[in-house]
Amino acid sequence: MKAVCEGIDLSEAVLKVVKACATKTTVPVLECIKLSAVNDKLTLSATDGELSICKTIKAEVYEEGDVCVPGRYFSDFIKKLEGVQITLSAGSKKMDIIYADSQTDMQVLPADDFPKIDIDINENSFKLKTEDLKKFISATSFCCAADDSRPILKGCQFVINGDDICVTSLDGFRLATITGKVLSSTGNMELVCPARTLNEIEKMIPDGEGETEIFVQRGMILVSSDNTVLTSRLYNGDFIKKENIIPRDFTTMVRVEKNALKASIERAAILVRSDKNSLIIFDVNTDRIEISSNSEIGNVQEPVKATIEGKDVRIAMNSKFIIEAVNALDEDEIVLAFNSQIQPFICENGNSKDKLYLILPVRTANNA
């Protein structure tokens, strides 16, 4: 293989596809980026068995061929060469990287060992406004589980019914859900997509107006944008039904100014950030929320004005969970709804009800 391309084009492509390289594997080729030179194009591909990304750029191809290069090393090296033209010349065991008056060689693996990436995925699809897709991902993916104890909770559930869409995620301690509209779909469908895949899709698709179509087939999805094709496996299994978790009625309703609440929570969280649960207390009574935290470093106690209907309640929670939920809401006034100090509570916008965050309180010596 021998091809010539611009450093900036190659660097941008490498930085996109390297996200799909495996980091901990016993299969060395999964740590590689496959380079394929055909006609006047150079295609870069990477996969870890779950997520795959392919990116095509323009190149002058003098000798067609394929080769696999060490993904992380190649990425780190090429991003230092954005301002020059690069010649890639590969044999069976090494590849020469020629730039300006310099030359570097890098060990390679045969492309025959690289897994085939299936991009023939088009049986079903749904289309959304690009800005809505980005909003759905950013509003839910942070609530996905991070460990492998229940793999399906590492993804977001997409439920499409007619032109309605609902995206839900949970990690066992909190839940996020958002509703909206699709522009079109080939039918009703339900799928659970890995959060990691969704985060890469969010980075891949451009900002601003536009539409994005997601194709679904055989437990796989495909998204294409700007000569970049991303495919990913979907999770199999039954997702938890949010209707069985979210309370229908509440005994305490609180309306509060978002920025004032957020600022107070963030200050209270500072002194407990080294604690396991980063515990803060909400003491809801009369016309305020008393927010407090207590650690060996010191104590915080601040009142935040609020409009309260119902019973007084004192409830402990993980400060990280409530901060992320409040940050994800986009109205000046938000609503908190409680039942007791040991039951889950919700957080949502004051007017629009498209987003909802549910958080489990933390049991303390006072409420165990």
Side-chain angles (χ1 to χ4, degrees):
M1 184 198 86
K2 185 175 182 180
V4 179
C5 58
E6 295 299 325
I8 185 67
D9 294 338
L10 183 59
S11 178
E12 288 177 354
V14 169
L15 291 175
K16 271 194 170 73
V17 303
V18 74
K19 305 289 184 61
C21 288
T23 53
K24 295 178 181 178
T25 179
T26 56
V27 184
V29 76
L30 294 182
E31 297 178 356
C32 291
I33 294 173
K34 178 183 175 182
L35 306 177
S36 301
V38 180
N39 296 328
D40 58 349
K41 295 177 180 178
L42 179 67
T43 300
L44 294 81
S45 308
T47 182
D48 62 3
E50 178 180 89
L51 172 69
S52 304
I53 303 176
C54 303
K55 171 75 173 177
T56 300
I57 62 173
K58 291 182 179 180
E60 294 181 36
V61 176
Y62 295 95
E63 184 180 340
E64 294 187 351
D66 308 291
V67 70
C68 291
V69 295
R72 305 288 169 183
Y73 292 105
F74 187 67
S75 171
D76 289 344
F77 192 83
I78 294 299
K79 71 182 180 182
K80 304 294 184 183
L81 300 176
E82 292 186 349
V84 298
Q85 194 175 68
I86 298 173
T87 300
L88 304 174
S89 180
S92 60
K93 294 185 178 180
K94 72 171 187 173
M95 180 175 70
D96 293 326
I97 306 171
I98 304 165
Y99 49 97
D101 296 325
S102 304
Q103 178 174 325
T104 298
D105 65 71
M106 191 173 289
Q107 288 186 334
V108 297
L109 293 176
D112 293 342
D113 297 335
F114 195 82
K116 183 180 184 300
I117 297 175
D118 183 9
I119 58 172
D120 184 21
I121 299 170
N122 55 18
E123 186 176 301
N124 297 297
S125 70
F126 57 98
K127 187 182 294 185
L128 314 94
K129 290 182 180 179
T130 298
E131 60 183 355
D132 286 348
L133 178 57
K134 283 178 172 283
K135 181 174 70 173
F136 295 156
I137 295 171
S138 64
T140 56
S141 62
F142 67 88
C143 284
C144 291
D147 60 69
D148 294 321
S149 57
R150 299 178 71 183
I152 199 166
L153 297 187
K154 293 173 67 179
C156 293
Q157 179 199 48
F158 284 66
V159 176
I160 295 156
N161 188 3
D163 62 352
D164 295 323
I165 182 170
C166 180
V167 184
T168 304
S169 64
L170 71 158
D171 62 5
F173 302 98
R174 53 182 171 163
L175 175 147
T177 186
I178 181 170
T179 57
K181 298 290 184 180
V182 296
L183 297 173
S184 65
S185 71
T186 56
N188 295 344
M189 62 187 83
E190 180 179 330
L191 56 96
V192 181
C193 185
R196 174 177 169 232
T197 296
L198 293 172
N199 291 331
E200 291 305 324
I201 291 173
E202 184 183 14
K203 296 172 190 172
M204 183 182 90
I205 56 181
D207 293 326
E209 297 180 359
E211 300 174 356
T212 299
E213 190 165 13
I214 297 177
F215 296 91
V216 184
Q217 183 176 333
R218 300 187 304 276
M220 300 285 294
I221 68 164
L222 180 148
V223 180
S224 178
S225 175
D226 189 27
N227 294 318
T228 304
V229 178
L230 178 149
T231 63
S232 173
R233 295 186 185 278
L234 299 172
Y235 290 138
N236 294 318
D238 294 327
F239 202 80
I240 293 172
K241 294 185 181 300
K242 68 179 189 300
E243 295 81 6
N244 298 337
I245 299 175
I246 301 172
R248 292 181 175 85
D249 302 300
F250 298 92
T251 58
T252 306
M253 302 291 293
V254 179
R255 299 183 76 91
V256 61
E257 200 269 311
K258 172 187 168 179
N259 289 335
L261 180 69
K262 175 186 171 184
S264 185
I265 294 170
E266 289 176 342
R267 286 190 289 270
I270 290 172
L271 298 188
V272 292
R273 62 188 176 195
S274 60
D275 295 349
K276 179 182 178 182
N277 289 317
S278 301
L279 196 68
I280 64 171
I281 308 291
F282 276 20
D283 198 342
V284 180
N285 62 83
T286 314
D287 61 352
R288 66 181 61 188
I289 306 173
E290 293 278 353
I291 298 173
S292 60
S293 64
N294 187 351
S295 73
E296 294 178 354
I297 306 299
N299 305 310
V300 173
Q301 186 164 349
E302 295 187 9
V304 177
K305 289 183 179 180
T307 302
I308 297 166
E309 296 178 9
K311 299 179 180 179
D312 295 351
V313 63
R314 180 180 172 85
I315 188 166
M317 66 196 69
N318 183 304
S319 61
K320 176 176 180 286
F321 293 170
I322 185 65
I323 287 171
E324 290 184 338
V326 170
N327 280 339
L329 298 173
D330 40 32
E331 292 185 6
D332 293 336
E333 187 178 63
I334 63 175
V335 170
L336 304 171
F338 306 92
N339 275 317
S340 75
Q341 58 187 359
I342 60 172
Q343 291 179 284
F345 65 94
I346 68 166
C347 182
E348 59 185 344
N349 285 317
N351 295 312
S352 172
K353 301 302 179 185
D354 61 331
K355 296 179 185 177
L356 182 145
Y357 296 91
L358 178 142
I359 301 172
L360 287 179
V362 178
R363 289 178 178 265
T364 65
N366 294 328
N367 66 13

